[in-house]
Amino acid sequence: MPPIHILGIESSCDETSASVCVDGRILSNVIATQEVHQAYGGVVPELASRAHIQHIVPVVDSAIQQAGISLKDLNGIAFTQSPGLIGALLVGAGFAKSLSLALDVPLIGVHHMQAHVLANLIEDPAPSFPFLCLTVSGGHTQIVLCRSPLDMEILGETIDDAAGEAFDKSAKMLGLPYPGGPLIDKYAASGDPSRFHFAEPVIPGLDFSFSGVKTSILYFLQQATRKEPDFIQQNLADLCASIQHRIIEILLKKLKIAALETGIRQVCLSGGVSANSGLRKSFTALGERQGWKAFVPRFEYCTDNAAMIAITGYHRFLAGRFEGLDAQSSARGHWTAEG
Ligand code: KG4
Ligand code: ZN
């Protein structure tokens, strides 16, 4: 069988990305990050759509060039269909539809969260099926049971904020700029994680909640700065370490239960928050204690990227799961059992 070339396109939020995957191997992964949002303290949907329109042609061009192929080699065009910012999604969808029509190759719709899980298949060694994946990003926190590339089940998810939001909102309370997650990580490195204690949520099953922790941090800081206005500056490292410690504890406690309940010992991390050095260290240590085979994709495959869209597209191509040119994009995008 001749090699299968898939182009992946990701445009769900503030990263415009394109990637070429050949027979499941990633040959390029080009990512244009939108700096325009920094001044606003968060992603501005309208600006995101405009930036995607500016970036998408050069980004796809570079991905094709870096892979050393030409457009006519492509056998399928995969794009992020849901979930995401609707205006941003439509840019990638419109581009993918046009290219699939022009090249007369199948169009493949990809669920962004399923792609985060399958990012783990890019690396060598890759987990074998079934595996568990904790996906932690700015918009989502999920524990997924992955039985095959097309068969996934959400075992637990956040009922309020995502883990990345918990990091970013806590950072904002500490006066740190957006996105604050990486800064909390940086300051936490020299802090004492046991110095301050923040509320622990009591949520049944495998779901998560971060709103209680957020409120407890807010009340604590309000009280402390009333007594000592420079409290945050004087205790920044310990505050960051204690906040990070609590968020990681919440995540790993549920992941451990999921592994015990399912008996699955291949466990993965994905999503932008898996860049957190404390989370990586605690995840690896927990894996060793529990006897897991633990996997974390490299950083460029953890944050939003098109390589994960391309590899998911490749598996959908093999299964003949194609979309028509009338494919609808969806901001929420529900998750069907058959993927
Ligand atoms: O997956 P991602 O790049 O974008 C989506 O949300 O889909 O995740 C971004 C999130 C942000 O909330 C950011 O603060 C967080 O990942 N993040 C981190 C770190 N690096 C990125 N959080 C904690 N520690 C980090 N080192
Ligand atoms: Zn994402």
Side-chain angles (χ1 to χ4, degrees), residues 234-253:
Q234 288 165 4
N235 298 280
L236 189 59
D238 289 347
L239 283 166
C240 288
S242 303
I243 291 168
Q244 178 169 301
H245 177 72
R246 171 56 84 216
I247 296 173
I248 293 171
E249 234 179 22
I250 294 171
L251 292 169
L252 294 185
K253 191 173 164 184

Side-chain angles (χ1 to χ4, degrees), residues 12 112-113 116 137 140 303-304 308:
S12 64
H112 181 87
M113 298 313 295
H116 268 304
S137 75
H140 297 269
T303 53
D304 287 350
M308 67 183 194

Side-chain angles (χ1 to χ4, degrees), residues 94-111:
F95 187 91
K97 287 177 184 182
S98 313
L99 196 56
S100 107
L101 186 65
L103 298 174
D104 193 22
V105 295
L107 177 69
I108 306 159
V110 169
H111 192 292

Side-chain angles (χ1 to χ4, degrees), residues 10 32 58 73 159 178 219 248 315 336:
E10 155 65 24
D73 295 322
I159 59 167
Y178 174 86
Y219 288 166
I248 293 171
H315 288 284
T336 55

Side-chain angles (χ1 to χ4, degrees), residues 10 12-15 112-113 116 135-140 162-169 171 178-186 244 247 270-279 299 302-305 308:
E10 155 65 24
S12 64
C13 191
D14 59 343
E15 248 93 35
H112 181 87
M113 298 313 295
H116 268 304
T135 308
V136 273
S137 75
H140 297 269
E165 269 178 296
F167 271 107
D168 295 340
K169 289 180 179 172
Y178 174 86
L183 292 169
I184 293 205
D185 191 1
K186 182 177 138 199
Q244 178 169 301
I247 296 173
S270 76
V273 180
S274 57
N276 184 270
S277 50
L279 177 59
F299 185 59
C302 279
T303 53
D304 287 350
N305 69 88
M308 67 183 194

Side-chain angles (χ1 to χ4, degrees), residues 245-327:
H245 177 72
R246 171 56 84 216
I247 296 173
I248 293 171
E249 234 179 22
I250 294 171
L251 292 169
L252 294 185
K253 191 173 164 184
K254 293 295 174 93
L255 186 60
K256 183 176 159 187
I257 298 172
L260 288 171
E261 282 182 356
T262 58
I264 294 173
R265 281 155 170 252
Q266 306 228 29
V267 189
C268 308
L269 267 190
S270 76
V273 180
S274 57
N276 184 270
S277 50
L279 177 59
R280 280 175 177 251
K281 221 159 74 193
S282 304
F283 171 72
T284 310
L286 176 65
E288 274 166 19
R289 285 199 303 276
Q290 299 296 116
W292 296 346
K293 246 181 146 176
F295 301 84
V296 190
R298 80 191 77 152
F299 185 59
E300 68 169 305
Y301 301 138
C302 279
T303 53
D304 287 350
N305 69 88
M308 67 183 194
I309 306 301
I311 193 138
T312 307
Y314 168 70
H315 288 284
R316 294 186 80 80
F317 182 96
L318 292 180
R321 296 296 183 92
F322 304 138
E323 299 296 324
L325 290 177
D326 57 350

Side-chain angles (χ1 to χ4, degrees), residues 6-23:
I6 303 290
L7 174 71
I9 294 171
E10 155 65 24
S11 72
S12 64
C13 191
D14 59 343
E15 248 93 35
T16 317
S17 181
S19 163
V20 172
C21 163
V22 178
D23 281 346

